[in-house]
Amino acid sequence: MLTLDNLRLEQGSFRLAADLSVATGARVAVIGPSGAGKSTLLAAITGFLAPASGRILWAGQDITRTEPGARPLSILFQDQNLFPHLSVTQNIGLGLDPRLRLSPADHARIEAALERTGLAGLGPRKPAELSGGQQSRVALARTLLRARPLLLLDEPFSALGPALKAEMLALTAELAAEQGTTLLMVTHDPEDAAALCPQTLLVAEGLAHPPQDTAALLANPPPSLRAYLGA
Amino acid sequence: MARSLRQLIPAALSASLLAALVLGTLGAVTIRAGGFSALGPRDLDALWFTVWQAAVSAVISCALAVPVARALHRRRFAGRDLLISLMGAPFILPTIAAVMGLIAVFGRRGLVNGALDALGLPGMTIYGAHGVILAHVFFNLPLATRMVLHGWQAIPSERFRLAASLGFAPAGVTRHLERPMLRAVLPGAFLAIFLVCLTSFAIALTLGGGPKATTVELAIYQAFRFDFDLGRAATLALMQVGLCLGALAISARLTLRAGFGAGLDRPPVAGLTGGPFTRLIDSTAIAAAALFLLVPITLILARGVPGLADLPASIWAASATSLGLAAASTVLTILLALPLALAAPRTRWAEAAAMLPLTASALVMGTGLYLIARPFVAASSLALPVTLIANAALSLPFAVRLLIPEVRVLQADYDRLAASLNMSGWARLRLLTLPRLARPLGFSAGLAAAFSMGDLGVITLFSDGRTQTLPLALFQLMGAYRMDQAAAAATLLIALTFGLFWLLDRIGHHADPR
């Protein structure tokens, strides 16, 4: 379970409060007006923003001061998810060993991950030689091998076309379900939330609300969400 | 966080070494200084000459740069890009080789005097104050031209188009577009050149001297070498530090632009390129600048290439020494510069530490290090280590300034990804930092190697005739009037300097996996 215990975030004049928990294995959409602090919330969970006060816990363990790379999570950013000077295999291999000392067994696991994400045979390529969708798959294959219990998506597929984005989100949800990964994904699209995430976490007016049933929330949105949805 | 502090350890080490070097030298010089009463009128003349020649050199370079840059901006011709690239070359051209070239053109038996003689006019001499200034203009006119050209190219072409559509006469364009740009660019160019000329040593050593053309750097050398008056050398060194600090204080108020930026290259707007008269002026400016820059070097190469095979073994030995020094100095520069550049976006002291060497000139550092080491080691065994340290220290500010913008991009793009994947220490350096910074590292290394290869500074303080670098050997050949051998040695020096720069820059490009 991910617990944000009386968390207060501050960035200049920006303030965000969160006091909530997300059940293990849950798939939760993070939705809210732009500038409300969705990415800021993810940055704090990942460890790129030190909270002004409060604690972040995973399975009862305080990770508030843990280094980003040592936290029990993987994150996919909006962009720059791959190192352009490293091959696909190397980019994925970083998920197994940040020093890239890979054993034959590691290479076999990378091959399997490539296959699972539909990238078989593309290991030696550089990211620039791949399509946008394939690049997303490489980043996803890496999170597969890191196998952290929590996966955060900060709109990594937003540059893809609608069909490709839906396909990538579906693949992500499928992989998360296979591994029992808890998934937290920022989205601008209520349809994505409705299709993939039984629960939704609303970030609005300085507050991150506890996850609620997505269908119920979208059917009867509070004023702040209604203004954003334009419904 | 603990890790971010740990990441700063290499930079802190590098900064401490630099601070110990620079402050130690300054301390040694201050303690040994004989007080300003020890200075005679000669030394005050040196102080005055240093400031005066630097100001005059900077003014002339800037004044000549304006028509040349304007012509290069307005005209398109075959070889234009090559000429602009060549304008970057004097930055690493060995001073002593260029001085030889200038002597071949303006010297007693040079081209200019030959022509004056043929016309029955009195000859000129290149030795003295005007020779020093001529050489400074030779080195700095290209720098000023590139800075001003950059300013011209930074004016959006939409402005020129607007001016053309409003029917501006050339005078109107000058008044509303060009003069404001020049007002913004020229002070920076002036100050950059003024700073370089303040610490001029090799040019003053070869073309200056005497009561009317001695810089403070040269006076340090003379007090040290001929009078062996260490107290006076130290006092002069302190004076030189004061000059540098003063100039740095002024330039801190004025942000300097980099002189080697390429800028966008938009074609000039039709209708503003003027009539046949302006075309004549532009052609003259370009031709004169090209001749002024190219003829001296061409003469040396033409005279030197045939003699390469006959160079004495001592020259080859000196070349080997110089290459070794350049390699060591490059490694030291990069080892000190990289941690500072990596830390610079996070802390303010890192960049400040990298700029410390700007307060001490080569001869100041040489004097200071000698004073520190004298109780322990013989002077002659100091020649190479002290030269190595001074060369690396003086290249460092350039290397760090070149690296910082690239480091900022690297950190903005990949810091979070690397942190989220737990990449740190050596792995991060090997897998991320070095590959992504390969280009600026190669370029910085090339500059450091070229600076060291062409340097004729500290080594002159300690040389005992046995330890020789190639520039020093060349200087001695010139002193002995063995001009054919000197031309061959100068050719070799130019080839090795540019070869090293080219090689390291290439390696950087090649190692860049993009």
Side-chain angles (χ1 to χ4, degrees), chain B residues 412-457:
Chain B
D413 284 353
Y414 299 112
D415 246 20
R416 287 188 160 202
L417 179 56
S420 76
L421 293 172
N422 217 2
M423 292 169 79
S424 61
W426 280 111
R428 181 163 173 163
L429 192 68
R430 180 170 57 90
L431 296 171
L432 176 60
T433 311
L434 291 182
R436 299 303 297 180
L437 292 180
R439 268 166 206 257
L441 277 174
F443 187 70
S444 306
L447 281 188
F451 283 167
S452 172
M453 192 69 209
D455 173 71
L456 178 64

mmCIF file of all heavy atoms in Angstrom, chain B residues 412-457:
data_model
loop_
_atom_site.group_PDB
_atom_site.id
_atom_site.type_symbol
_atom_site.label_atom_id
_atom_site.label_comp_id
_atom_site.label_asym_id
_atom_site.label_seq_id
_atom_site.Cartn_x
_atom_site.Cartn_y
_atom_site.Cartn_z
ATOM 1 N N ALA B 412 19.696 18.895 -17.439
ATOM 2 C CA ALA B 412 18.269 19.149 -17.624
ATOM 3 C C ALA B 412 17.598 17.955 -18.299
ATOM 4 O O ALA B 412 16.480 17.584 -17.971
ATOM 5 C CB ALA B 412 18.065 20.413 -18.449
ATOM 6 N N ASP B 413 18.314 17.338 -19.253
ATOM 7 C CA ASP B 413 17.704 16.257 -20.023
ATOM 8 C C ASP B 413 17.689 14.920 -19.281
ATOM 9 O O ASP B 413 16.718 14.176 -19.361
ATOM 10 C CB ASP B 413 18.451 16.074 -21.354
ATOM 11 C CG ASP B 413 18.095 17.157 -22.349
ATOM 12 O OD1 ASP B 413 17.191 17.947 -22.032
ATOM 13 O OD2 ASP B 413 18.707 17.201 -23.426
ATOM 14 N N TYR B 414 18.781 14.597 -18.576
ATOM 15 C CA TYR B 414 18.922 13.203 -18.134
ATOM 16 C C TYR B 414 19.166 12.992 -16.647
ATOM 17 O O TYR B 414 19.315 11.860 -16.212
ATOM 18 C CB TYR B 414 20.037 12.524 -18.947
ATOM 19 C CG TYR B 414 19.704 12.504 -20.406
ATOM 20 C CD1 TYR B 414 20.426 13.252 -21.329
ATOM 21 C CD2 TYR B 414 18.616 11.768 -20.857
ATOM 22 C CE1 TYR B 414 20.084 13.255 -22.664
ATOM 23 C CE2 TYR B 414 18.272 11.769 -22.190
ATOM 24 C CZ TYR B 414 19.005 12.511 -23.089
ATOM 25 O OH TYR B 414 18.648 12.519 -24.401
ATOM 26 N N ASP B 415 19.214 14.074 -15.854
ATOM 27 C CA ASP B 415 19.467 13.890 -14.428
ATOM 28 C C ASP B 415 18.408 13.024 -13.771
ATOM 29 O O ASP B 415 18.703 12.121 -13.011
ATOM 30 C CB ASP B 415 19.521 15.247 -13.724
ATOM 31 C CG ASP B 415 20.909 15.524 -13.200
ATOM 32 O OD1 ASP B 415 21.841 14.870 -13.706
ATOM 33 O OD2 ASP B 415 21.056 16.370 -12.311
ATOM 34 N N ARG B 416 17.133 13.322 -14.084
ATOM 35 C CA ARG B 416 16.049 12.597 -13.426
ATOM 36 C C ARG B 416 16.037 11.131 -13.828
ATOM 37 O O ARG B 416 15.872 10.255 -12.990
ATOM 38 C CB ARG B 416 14.702 13.235 -13.771
ATOM 39 C CG ARG B 416 14.498 14.537 -13.076
ATOM 40 C CD ARG B 416 13.099 15.030 -13.280
ATOM 41 N NE ARG B 416 12.775 16.006 -12.235
ATOM 42 C CZ ARG B 416 11.541 16.294 -11.879
ATOM 43 N NH1 ARG B 416 10.529 15.704 -12.468
ATOM 44 N NH2 ARG B 416 11.314 17.170 -10.940
ATOM 45 N N LEU B 417 16.224 10.898 -15.135
ATOM 46 C CA LEU B 417 16.215 9.516 -15.612
ATOM 47 C C LEU B 417 17.340 8.727 -14.941
ATOM 48 O O LEU B 417 17.131 7.619 -14.444
ATOM 49 C CB LEU B 417 16.363 9.496 -17.133
ATOM 50 C CG LEU B 417 16.405 8.119 -17.787
ATOM 51 C CD1 LEU B 417 15.186 7.299 -17.426
ATOM 52 C CD2 LEU B 417 16.533 8.245 -19.303
ATOM 53 N N ALA B 418 18.551 9.326 -14.912
ATOM 54 C CA ALA B 418 19.685 8.631 -14.308
ATOM 55 C C ALA B 418 19.423 8.364 -12.826
ATOM 56 O O ALA B 418 19.695 7.271 -12.321
ATOM 57 C CB ALA B 418 20.959 9.459 -14.482
ATOM 58 N N ALA B 419 18.842 9.364 -12.126
ATOM 59 C CA ALA B 419 18.579 9.184 -10.698
ATOM 60 C C ALA B 419 17.520 8.111 -10.486
ATOM 61 O O ALA B 419 17.642 7.280 -9.584
ATOM 62 C CB ALA B 419 18.132 10.504 -10.082
ATOM 63 N N SER B 420 16.497 8.096 -11.341
ATOM 64 C CA SER B 420 15.431 7.120 -11.142
ATOM 65 C C SER B 420 15.926 5.709 -11.425
ATOM 66 O O SER B 420 15.358 4.738 -10.948
ATOM 67 C CB SER B 420 14.220 7.454 -12.019
ATOM 68 O OG SER B 420 14.482 7.095 -13.355
ATOM 69 N N LEU B 421 17.019 5.581 -12.212
ATOM 70 C CA LEU B 421 17.573 4.258 -12.490
ATOM 71 C C LEU B 421 18.743 3.939 -11.565
ATOM 72 O O LEU B 421 19.418 2.932 -11.747
ATOM 73 C CB LEU B 421 18.029 4.180 -13.953
ATOM 74 C CG LEU B 421 16.896 4.245 -14.975
ATOM 75 C CD1 LEU B 421 17.450 4.356 -16.381
ATOM 76 C CD2 LEU B 421 16.012 3.021 -14.853
ATOM 77 N N ASN B 422 18.977 4.831 -10.591
ATOM 78 C CA ASN B 422 20.035 4.607 -9.609
ATOM 79 C C ASN B 422 21.426 4.552 -10.232
ATOM 80 O O ASN B 422 22.291 3.821 -9.784
ATOM 81 C CB ASN B 422 19.772 3.307 -8.841
ATOM 82 C CG ASN B 422 20.179 3.447 -7.389
ATOM 83 O OD1 ASN B 422 20.614 4.526 -6.970
ATOM 84 N ND2 ASN B 422 20.043 2.383 -6.624
ATOM 85 N N MET B 423 21.641 5.338 -11.304
ATOM 86 C CA MET B 423 22.982 5.401 -11.884
ATOM 87 C C MET B 423 23.786 6.414 -11.106
ATOM 88 O O MET B 423 23.349 7.546 -10.918
ATOM 89 C CB MET B 423 22.910 5.849 -13.343
ATOM 90 C CG MET B 423 22.260 4.846 -14.269
ATOM 91 S SD MET B 423 21.927 5.586 -15.865
ATOM 92 C CE MET B 423 23.539 5.533 -16.613
ATOM 93 N N SER B 424 24.977 6.019 -10.645
ATOM 94 C CA SER B 424 25.788 6.979 -9.905
ATOM 95 C C SER B 424 27.262 6.625 -10.059
ATOM 96 O O SER B 424 27.611 5.586 -10.603
ATOM 97 C CB SER B 424 25.393 6.983 -8.429
ATOM 98 O OG SER B 424 25.619 5.706 -7.885
ATOM 99 N N GLY B 425 28.100 7.514 -9.573
ATOM 100 C CA GLY B 425 29.546 7.272 -9.538
ATOM 101 C C GLY B 425 30.132 6.996 -10.909
ATOM 102 O O GLY B 425 29.790 7.636 -11.897
ATOM 103 N N TRP B 426 31.026 5.996 -10.945
ATOM 104 C CA TRP B 426 31.743 5.672 -12.174
ATOM 105 C C TRP B 426 30.800 5.265 -13.286
ATOM 106 O O TRP B 426 31.003 5.619 -14.446
ATOM 107 C CB TRP B 426 32.742 4.537 -11.934
ATOM 108 C CG TRP B 426 33.992 5.001 -11.292
ATOM 109 C CD1 TRP B 426 34.408 4.714 -10.022
ATOM 110 C CD2 TRP B 426 34.995 5.847 -11.855
ATOM 111 N NE1 TRP B 426 35.597 5.336 -9.771
ATOM 112 C CE2 TRP B 426 35.988 6.028 -10.874
ATOM 113 C CE3 TRP B 426 35.148 6.467 -13.099
ATOM 114 C CZ2 TRP B 426 37.123 6.819 -11.087
ATOM 115 C CZ3 TRP B 426 36.275 7.244 -13.313
ATOM 116 C CH2 TRP B 426 37.239 7.411 -12.316
ATOM 117 N N ALA B 427 29.773 4.469 -12.925
ATOM 118 C CA ALA B 427 28.867 3.966 -13.951
ATOM 119 C C ALA B 427 28.212 5.129 -14.675
ATOM 120 O O ALA B 427 28.107 5.154 -15.901
ATOM 121 C CB ALA B 427 27.812 3.066 -13.313
ATOM 122 N N ARG B 428 27.797 6.139 -13.894
ATOM 123 C CA ARG B 428 27.145 7.288 -14.496
ATOM 124 C C ARG B 428 28.114 8.067 -15.372
ATOM 125 O O ARG B 428 27.776 8.513 -16.468
ATOM 126 C CB ARG B 428 26.610 8.173 -13.384
ATOM 127 C CG ARG B 428 25.893 9.368 -13.909
ATOM 128 C CD ARG B 428 25.070 9.923 -12.805
ATOM 129 N NE ARG B 428 24.473 11.167 -13.192
ATOM 130 C CZ ARG B 428 23.463 11.699 -12.538
ATOM 131 N NH1 ARG B 428 22.976 11.086 -11.483
ATOM 132 N NH2 ARG B 428 22.960 12.831 -12.924
ATOM 133 N N LEU B 429 29.362 8.208 -14.885
ATOM 134 C CA LEU B 429 30.383 8.913 -15.657
ATOM 135 C C LEU B 429 30.630 8.194 -16.989
ATOM 136 O O LEU B 429 30.673 8.807 -18.053
ATOM 137 C CB LEU B 429 31.676 8.972 -14.831
ATOM 138 C CG LEU B 429 32.765 9.900 -15.324
ATOM 139 C CD1 LEU B 429 32.333 11.349 -15.180
ATOM 140 C CD2 LEU B 429 34.058 9.675 -14.551
ATOM 141 N N ARG B 430 30.761 6.865 -16.900
ATOM 142 C CA ARG B 430 31.128 6.065 -18.064
ATOM 143 C C ARG B 430 29.965 5.939 -19.053
ATOM 144 O O ARG B 430 30.149 6.030 -20.259
ATOM 145 C CB ARG B 430 31.540 4.679 -17.569
ATOM 146 C CG ARG B 430 31.962 3.672 -18.606
ATOM 147 C CD ARG B 430 32.563 2.451 -17.911
ATOM 148 N NE ARG B 430 31.644 1.847 -16.947
ATOM 149 C CZ ARG B 430 30.770 0.888 -17.261
ATOM 150 N NH1 ARG B 430 30.697 0.435 -18.481
ATOM 151 N NH2 ARG B 430 29.977 0.381 -16.337
ATOM 152 N N LEU B 431 28.761 5.742 -18.520
ATOM 153 C CA LEU B 431 27.629 5.446 -19.399
ATOM 154 C C LEU B 431 26.885 6.693 -19.848
ATOM 155 O O LEU B 431 26.216 6.685 -20.870
ATOM 156 C CB LEU B 431 26.637 4.517 -18.683
ATOM 157 C CG LEU B 431 27.167 3.129 -18.344
ATOM 158 C CD1 LEU B 431 26.186 2.383 -17.456
ATOM 159 C CD2 LEU B 431 27.419 2.345 -19.627
ATOM 160 N N LEU B 432 26.971 7.770 -19.079
ATOM 161 C CA LEU B 432 26.166 8.943 -19.412
ATOM 162 C C LEU B 432 27.018 10.202 -19.629
ATOM 163 O O LEU B 432 26.994 10.783 -20.706
ATOM 164 C CB LEU B 432 25.146 9.192 -18.282
ATOM 165 C CG LEU B 432 24.281 10.446 -18.437
ATOM 166 C CD1 LEU B 432 23.471 10.380 -19.717
ATOM 167 C CD2 LEU B 432 23.355 10.597 -17.230
ATOM 168 N N THR B 433 27.789 10.601 -18.611
ATOM 169 C CA THR B 433 28.456 11.902 -18.658
ATOM 170 C C THR B 433 29.486 11.981 -19.784
ATOM 171 O O THR B 433 29.433 12.890 -20.615
ATOM 172 C CB THR B 433 29.126 12.196 -17.312
ATOM 173 O OG1 THR B 433 28.181 11.962 -16.278
ATOM 174 C CG2 THR B 433 29.604 13.629 -17.256
ATOM 175 N N LEU B 434 30.429 11.024 -19.806
ATOM 176 C CA LEU B 434 31.493 11.104 -20.813
ATOM 177 C C LEU B 434 30.949 10.987 -22.239
ATOM 178 O O LEU B 434 31.327 11.792 -23.096
ATOM 179 C CB LEU B 434 32.574 10.054 -20.534
ATOM 180 C CG LEU B 434 33.408 10.322 -19.270
ATOM 181 C CD1 LEU B 434 34.484 9.259 -19.098
ATOM 182 C CD2 LEU B 434 34.045 11.713 -19.321
ATOM 183 N N PRO B 435 30.067 10.030 -22.525
ATOM 184 C CA PRO B 435 29.559 9.980 -23.910
ATOM 185 C C PRO B 435 28.814 11.246 -24.316
ATOM 186 O O PRO B 435 28.999 11.744 -25.425
ATOM 187 C CB PRO B 435 28.606 8.782 -23.904
ATOM 188 C CG PRO B 435 28.964 7.975 -22.720
ATOM 189 C CD PRO B 435 29.574 8.905 -21.728
ATOM 190 N N ARG B 436 28.007 11.798 -23.411
ATOM 191 C CA ARG B 436 27.216 12.968 -23.792
ATOM 192 C C ARG B 436 28.072 14.222 -23.900
ATOM 193 O O ARG B 436 27.691 15.177 -24.574
ATOM 194 C CB ARG B 436 26.083 13.227 -22.794
ATOM 195 C CG ARG B 436 25.055 12.131 -22.642
ATOM 196 C CD ARG B 436 24.349 11.722 -23.902
ATOM 197 N NE ARG B 436 23.549 12.753 -24.527
ATOM 198 C CZ ARG B 436 22.867 12.560 -25.644
ATOM 199 N NH1 ARG B 436 22.900 11.382 -26.245
ATOM 200 N NH2 ARG B 436 22.169 13.515 -26.165
ATOM 201 N N LEU B 437 29.200 14.258 -23.170
ATOM 202 C CA LEU B 437 30.052 15.459 -23.202
ATOM 203 C C LEU B 437 31.266 15.277 -24.109
ATOM 204 O O LEU B 437 32.176 16.103 -24.102
ATOM 205 C CB LEU B 437 30.530 15.817 -21.790
ATOM 206 C CG LEU B 437 29.457 16.303 -20.804
ATOM 207 C CD1 LEU B 437 30.088 16.611 -19.462
ATOM 208 C CD2 LEU B 437 28.742 17.533 -21.333
ATOM 209 N N ALA B 438 31.275 14.206 -24.915
ATOM 210 C CA ALA B 438 32.472 13.906 -25.703
ATOM 211 C C ALA B 438 32.912 15.085 -26.576
ATOM 212 O O ALA B 438 34.089 15.422 -26.629
ATOM 213 C CB ALA B 438 32.223 12.676 -26.567
ATOM 214 N N ARG B 439 31.950 15.746 -27.224
ATOM 215 C CA ARG B 439 32.313 16.840 -28.132
ATOM 216 C C ARG B 439 32.980 18.013 -27.416
ATOM 217 O O ARG B 439 34.100 18.394 -27.760
ATOM 218 C CB ARG B 439 31.092 17.348 -28.867
ATOM 219 C CG ARG B 439 30.874 16.677 -30.187
ATOM 220 C CD ARG B 439 29.478 16.986 -30.674
ATOM 221 N NE ARG B 439 29.027 15.929 -31.549
ATOM 222 C CZ ARG B 439 29.006 16.048 -32.871
ATOM 223 N NH1 ARG B 439 29.381 17.167 -33.440
ATOM 224 N NH2 ARG B 439 28.607 15.055 -33.618
ATOM 225 N N PRO B 440 32.310 18.632 -26.420
ATOM 226 C CA PRO B 440 32.985 19.746 -25.747
ATOM 227 C C PRO B 440 34.254 19.320 -25.021
ATOM 228 O O PRO B 440 35.194 20.103 -24.920
ATOM 229 C CB PRO B 440 31.933 20.267 -24.759
ATOM 230 C CG PRO B 440 30.950 19.178 -24.607
ATOM 231 C CD PRO B 440 30.942 18.429 -25.911
ATOM 232 N N LEU B 441 34.308 18.063 -24.552
ATOM 233 C CA LEU B 441 35.539 17.599 -23.911
ATOM 234 C C LEU B 441 36.670 17.526 -24.929
ATOM 235 O O LEU B 441 37.793 17.943 -24.650
ATOM 236 C CB LEU B 441 35.326 16.218 -23.274
ATOM 237 C CG LEU B 441 34.688 16.216 -21.883
ATOM 238 C CD1 LEU B 441 34.398 14.787 -21.451
ATOM 239 C CD2 LEU B 441 35.576 16.913 -20.868
ATOM 240 N N GLY B 442 36.372 17.004 -26.122
ATOM 241 C CA GLY B 442 37.386 16.931 -27.167
ATOM 242 C C GLY B 442 37.866 18.310 -27.575
ATOM 243 O O GLY B 442 39.064 18.552 -27.717
ATOM 244 N N PHE B 443 36.911 19.244 -27.708
ATOM 245 C CA PHE B 443 37.264 20.612 -28.097
ATOM 246 C C PHE B 443 38.110 21.268 -27.008
ATOM 247 O O PHE B 443 39.150 21.878 -27.296
ATOM 248 C CB PHE B 443 35.979 21.411 -28.344
ATOM 249 C CG PHE B 443 36.214 22.777 -28.920
ATOM 250 C CD1 PHE B 443 36.651 22.918 -30.221
ATOM 251 C CD2 PHE B 443 36.009 23.915 -28.160
ATOM 252 C CE1 PHE B 443 36.876 24.176 -30.759
ATOM 253 C CE2 PHE B 443 36.235 25.177 -28.692
ATOM 254 C CZ PHE B 443 36.665 25.307 -29.994
ATOM 255 N N SER B 444 37.703 21.136 -25.750
ATOM 256 C CA SER B 444 38.469 21.714 -24.638
ATOM 257 C C SER B 444 39.860 21.104 -24.571
ATOM 258 O O SER B 444 40.850 21.811 -24.354
ATOM 259 C CB SER B 444 37.778 21.469 -23.298
ATOM 260 O OG SER B 444 36.471 21.914 -23.316
ATOM 261 N N ALA B 445 39.921 19.786 -24.744
ATOM 262 C CA ALA B 445 41.219 19.119 -24.701
ATOM 263 C C ALA B 445 42.100 19.631 -25.837
ATOM 264 O O ALA B 445 43.299 19.879 -25.648
ATOM 265 C CB ALA B 445 41.042 17.607 -24.795
ATOM 266 N N GLY B 446 41.505 19.817 -27.009
ATOM 267 C CA GLY B 446 42.258 20.345 -28.141
ATOM 268 C C GLY B 446 42.812 21.725 -27.852
ATOM 269 O O GLY B 446 43.987 22.016 -28.134
ATOM 270 N N LEU B 447 41.992 22.593 -27.265
ATOM 271 C CA LEU B 447 42.453 23.939 -26.910
ATOM 272 C C LEU B 447 43.583 23.864 -25.893
ATOM 273 O O LEU B 447 44.614 24.535 -26.030
ATOM 274 C CB LEU B 447 41.304 24.758 -26.310
ATOM 275 C CG LEU B 447 40.284 25.385 -27.246
ATOM 276 C CD1 LEU B 447 39.359 26.293 -26.457
ATOM 277 C CD2 LEU B 447 40.976 26.184 -28.339
ATOM 278 N N ALA B 448 43.399 23.036 -24.851
ATOM 279 C CA ALA B 448 44.415 22.931 -23.802
ATOM 280 C C ALA B 448 45.735 22.447 -24.390
ATOM 281 O O ALA B 448 46.806 22.982 -24.083
ATOM 282 C CB ALA B 448 43.942 21.996 -22.698
ATOM 283 N N ALA B 449 45.662 21.437 -25.266
ATOM 284 C CA ALA B 449 46.876 20.899 -25.875
ATOM 285 C C ALA B 449 47.550 21.951 -26.746
ATOM 286 O O ALA B 449 48.773 22.125 -26.715
ATOM 287 C CB ALA B 449 46.538 19.662 -26.704
ATOM 288 N N ALA B 450 46.735 22.694 -27.522
ATOM 289 C CA ALA B 450 47.308 23.703 -28.419
ATOM 290 C C ALA B 450 47.927 24.844 -27.612
ATOM 291 O O ALA B 450 49.020 25.320 -27.937
ATOM 292 C CB ALA B 450 46.236 24.235 -29.356
ATOM 293 N N PHE B 451 47.246 25.288 -26.552
ATOM 294 C CA PHE B 451 47.808 26.343 -25.703
ATOM 295 C C PHE B 451 49.162 25.921 -25.166
ATOM 296 O O PHE B 451 50.136 26.668 -25.203
ATOM 297 C CB PHE B 451 46.887 26.633 -24.514
ATOM 298 C CG PHE B 451 45.675 27.451 -24.861
ATOM 299 C CD1 PHE B 451 44.627 27.565 -23.959
ATOM 300 C CD2 PHE B 451 45.585 28.113 -26.068
ATOM 301 C CE1 PHE B 451 43.505 28.313 -24.266
ATOM 302 C CE2 PHE B 451 44.472 28.861 -26.387
ATOM 303 C CZ PHE B 451 43.425 28.959 -25.484
ATOM 304 N N SER B 452 49.214 24.694 -24.646
ATOM 305 C CA SER B 452 50.451 24.224 -24.034
ATOM 306 C C SER B 452 51.541 24.066 -25.088
ATOM 307 O O SER B 452 52.690 24.452 -24.879
ATOM 308 C CB SER B 452 50.203 22.894 -23.328
ATOM 309 O OG SER B 452 51.417 22.350 -22.898
ATOM 310 N N MET B 453 51.177 23.520 -26.239
ATOM 311 C CA MET B 453 52.147 23.280 -27.311
ATOM 312 C C MET B 453 52.796 24.592 -27.750
ATOM 313 O O MET B 453 53.991 24.658 -27.996
ATOM 314 C CB MET B 453 51.417 22.631 -28.489
ATOM 315 C CG MET B 453 52.311 22.068 -29.554
ATOM 316 S SD MET B 453 53.202 20.615 -28.965
ATOM 317 C CE MET B 453 54.666 20.729 -29.956
ATOM 318 N N GLY B 454 52.009 25.645 -27.873
ATOM 319 C CA GLY B 454 52.519 26.893 -28.422
ATOM 320 C C GLY B 454 53.039 27.852 -27.367
ATOM 321 O O GLY B 454 53.496 28.943 -27.697
ATOM 322 N N ASP B 455 52.979 27.462 -26.099
ATOM 323 C CA ASP B 455 53.282 28.402 -25.029
ATOM 324 C C ASP B 455 54.766 28.741 -24.927
ATOM 325 O O ASP B 455 55.629 27.863 -24.901
ATOM 326 C CB ASP B 455 52.808 27.819 -23.699
ATOM 327 C CG ASP B 455 53.253 28.672 -22.534
ATOM 328 O OD1 ASP B 455 52.703 29.776 -22.392
ATOM 329 O OD2 ASP B 455 54.163 28.258 -21.799
ATOM 330 N N LEU B 456 55.038 30.034 -24.892
ATOM 331 C CA LEU B 456 56.394 30.484 -24.583
ATOM 332 C C LEU B 456 56.242 31.449 -23.418
ATOM 333 O O LEU B 456 56.006 32.632 -23.604
ATOM 334 C CB LEU B 456 57.025 31.185 -25.787
ATOM 335 C CG LEU B 456 58.431 31.736 -25.551
ATOM 336 C CD1 LEU B 456 59.411 30.631 -25.273
ATOM 337 C CD2 LEU B 456 58.898 32.557 -26.744
ATOM 338 N N GLY B 457 56.295 30.933 -22.217
ATOM 339 C CA GLY B 457 56.059 31.771 -21.045
ATOM 340 C C GLY B 457 56.956 31.356 -19.917
ATOM 341 O O GLY B 457 58.159 31.654 -19.907
#
